[in-house]
């Protein structure tokens, strides 16, 4: 009985490791980190094409005084992000619409984020 339980727990563990995160969730996580100015965390969800943009954004933030950087982070902390769930995913790329709700704008801004499947995970490769 003990061996069966161990095998069952091992199978559950492996099943959890093989789970692929949905592209909409990856897009939302990337955007949340990006707008929170947490560029290192955003990089985990990004394809190499976006590394330079993330590095440049981090460099700009690092070039500010502590007070200015805090002001930027506080300003961006009011951004709300709504990511649409794609109706159908065909192939290894998907474009997802998202909306940025920002109190300083009269209407939410709408944009598109593009992801592609790399191995077993989705990565953001373009902000349109």
């Amino acid at each position: 009985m003990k061996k069966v339980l161990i095998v069952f727990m091992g199978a559950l563990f492996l099943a959890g490791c093989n789970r692929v995160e949905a592209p909409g969730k990856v897009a939302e996580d990337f955007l949340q980190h990006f707008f929170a100015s947490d560029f290192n965390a955003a990089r985990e969800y990004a394809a190499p094409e976006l590394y330079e943009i993330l590095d440049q954004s981090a460099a700009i933030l690092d070039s500010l005084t502590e007070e200015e950087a805090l002001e930027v982070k506080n300003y961006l902390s009011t951004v709300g992000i709504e990511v649409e769930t794609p109706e159908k995913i065909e192939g290894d790329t998907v474009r997802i619409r998202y909306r940025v709700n920002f109190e300083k704008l009269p209407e939410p801004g709408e944009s598109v984020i593009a992801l592609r499947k790399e191995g077993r995970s989705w990565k953001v490769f373009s902000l349109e």
Side-chain angles (χ1 to χ4, degrees), residues 35-54:
F35 283 109
S37 302
D38 189 353
F39 303 112
N40 285 332
R43 193 180 182 109
E44 292 179 31
Y45 302 96
E49 295 92 323
L50 288 185
Y51 290 173
E52 187 175 345
I53 292 170
L54 294 171

Side-chain angles (χ1 to χ4, degrees), residues 3-127:
K3 289 180 183 179
V4 172
L5 184 58
I6 291 171
V7 170
F8 180 70
M9 295 300 286
L12 282 176
F13 175 76
L14 289 175
C17 291
N18 289 330
R19 196 173 74 193
V20 176
E21 213 169 357
K25 175 72 170 130
V26 172
E28 184 176 342
D29 289 346
F30 172 85
L31 292 167
Q32 291 290 345
H33 289 297
F34 184 79
F35 283 109
S37 302
D38 189 353
F39 303 112
N40 285 332
R43 193 180 182 109
E44 292 179 31
Y45 302 96
E49 295 92 323
L50 288 185
Y51 290 173
E52 187 175 345
I53 292 170
L54 294 171
D55 292 344
Q56 288 174 350
S57 298
I60 290 169
L61 193 63
D62 290 343
S63 72
L64 301 175
T65 65
E66 280 186 47
E67 185 178 292
E68 292 169 331
L70 184 59
E71 188 175 332
V72 168
K73 287 180 180 182
N74 287 338
Y75 191 74
L76 291 175
S77 70
T78 63
V79 171
I81 300 162
E82 297 173 29
V83 177
E84 291 182 11
T85 303
E87 291 180 24
K88 193 179 208 182
I89 300 171
E90 294 179 9
D92 291 339
T93 60
V94 64
R95 294 176 73 236
I96 301 173
R97 294 181 117 0
Y98 69 95
R99 181 183 308 242
V100 177
N101 297 310
F102 193 54
E103 68 182 37
K104 307 292 182 194
L105 297 174
E107 291 183 26
E110 291 192 13
S111 296
V112 174
I113 188 169
L115 295 90
R116 79 167 162 256
K117 197 165 193 180
E118 294 184 358
R120 297 196 44 81
S121 60
W122 289 93
K123 297 289 183 176
V124 176
F125 72 91
S126 175
L127 300 169

